Amino acid sequence: MSNEQNAQKTESLIDWLREFSARFLNCRLYDERKTIAPHVILEFGNHGLFGLQVPRSYGGLELQTTNTLAVIEQLGAIDLTIATLVVNNDFLGVRPFQRFATDAQRDALLAQFATGRRLISYALSEPQAGSNPQSIAGRGRALPGGGFQLTAEKKWIGNAAWASHVNVFVKVPDEGAADAITGFTVPVAAQGVTLGAELATMGMKGMVQSRVLFEDVNVGADQLLGRVGAGMVVANDAMMYTRLAFGAAFLGAMKRCLQIAGRYAERRSGLTTGSHLKTPLTRARLWNGICRVRVLEQLLSYAARSLDAEAATSQDVLVVAKILSAEYLWKTVDDCVQVLGGRGYLETNDLPRFLRDARVARIYEGPTETLVHFLGMRALRGSPMLAELFKQKLDAPVAFERLMEGCAELRERATKTLHLEPPDADNWVAYRAGVICTKLLLRALVTKQSQHTVIDPSILTWLDDEVAAAAQGALAPDLSDQVPPVPAIVEALGAFEMSVGTPQRPIFEEETSMDSLLV
């Protein structure tokens, strides 16, 4: 499909989304009832939202990444829960199946996934393995007659209760390697698969999160995603692309919240200031939000164009996209609630729902702290790919030098001033190096974008202040430099029992078993 056809299809789909949401979506009701209405799933399937990048030969829209993100951004502006439903299905469910399933499996199922006739979920996390997939306990063993048998307990699995299939990852011994993670696509109706309890979440209430148990589930070799032992290739590809898609959803949500807050600030009058928009603090909050939107737009645009041109982009860019979009979303929504005052606390004004839904953004698809630490470790180890990104792709060798200087200063302070020993020293340095790297990479990328996109100079000034604040904060002494040892923390927390007791309140659940007299 040509670029022009992509653009026309995207514009048409966004127009439909705006009309459909205005006439037929009741997002607050879905939140209260803890379920998205079935007609939403059906209509989204009919309009191709579950096959945004699936080839047209399989019933998909075959959109380019730039156009896909535009659609996801619109979904985020409508409702973060609905956007997350689509992102999870398309990029954690459909994408790994489309790219790594066997030809026979694709021919049998991909068209049904692309048109929403079936949903597909993604099961990697476990009760003891969230941000560290290598610690998953789920196991698979090869069967003598062919195929595999899987046993695992998965948790926080979005869409699982509505899906017909799930992409599940377990450890399968491969040529002597006991920890070779391998992916499979498994029907939820398969013998041994059990949907566990739904999880009571703070936000995203309309989209179900569940436990999924796999107890001696037999699967065929044709259900493999890729090859045995290459499961993390599949999982990481899905997660990296999902981080970019979530960035677009968060961007749309930020725009909507700023739109609401700006409307209120312009219309509301104070006793002495006139319009609230004339209040410096209100203007500052709105301007900070606008600047976050503008730089995030450039970041996502760069990543999308790279994927459309080369079918690949630096994982460091995608990690930064997830870090910043999640953090900027939370700060922006919180500021907008504050601008609205008491109205920001009323469920009928939408912002409370956005606030609750936004909170998990800093946790799922990699908590901010984990991703910042990951980026910092790459900088400390002198990652050639990170160096190439700064020096060649972004034409920012000076920024990379600043990063290396910051890393050296952090190392010296950790060992000579704080007298930290590994692994404390490594963790202390890596996180702070990641904070610096995140903002330097953003500044370099936006500068690169400014070569062919007109960017307001005041946005660049704001971004320079962000970089300076990040570097100053990372290099300045803070409370974590003086944290006492573990026993002192445990003792202090234990003392709270004397002042507030230990209220272990029961969890009251519905009766789920039939009366014995009726069985």
Side-chain angles (χ1 to χ4, degrees), residues 144-180:
F148 302 83
Q149 189 173 82
L150 315 181
T151 300
E153 179 186 0
K154 299 295 182 178
K155 192 174 182 181
W156 301 291
I157 310 306
N159 299 345
W162 300 343
S164 69
H165 289 71
V166 57
N167 296 326
V168 61
F169 297 85
V170 296
K171 291 179 177 177
V172 178
D174 178 36
E175 298 180 354
D179 293 336

Side-chain angles (χ1 to χ4, degrees), residues 43-63:
E43 288 296 332
F44 277 20
N46 289 336
H47 285 80
L49 283 159
F50 296 124
L52 290 171
Q53 295 197 304
V54 174
R56 285 179 294 167
S57 59
Y58 285 101
L61 299 184
E62 203 171 340
L63 296 182

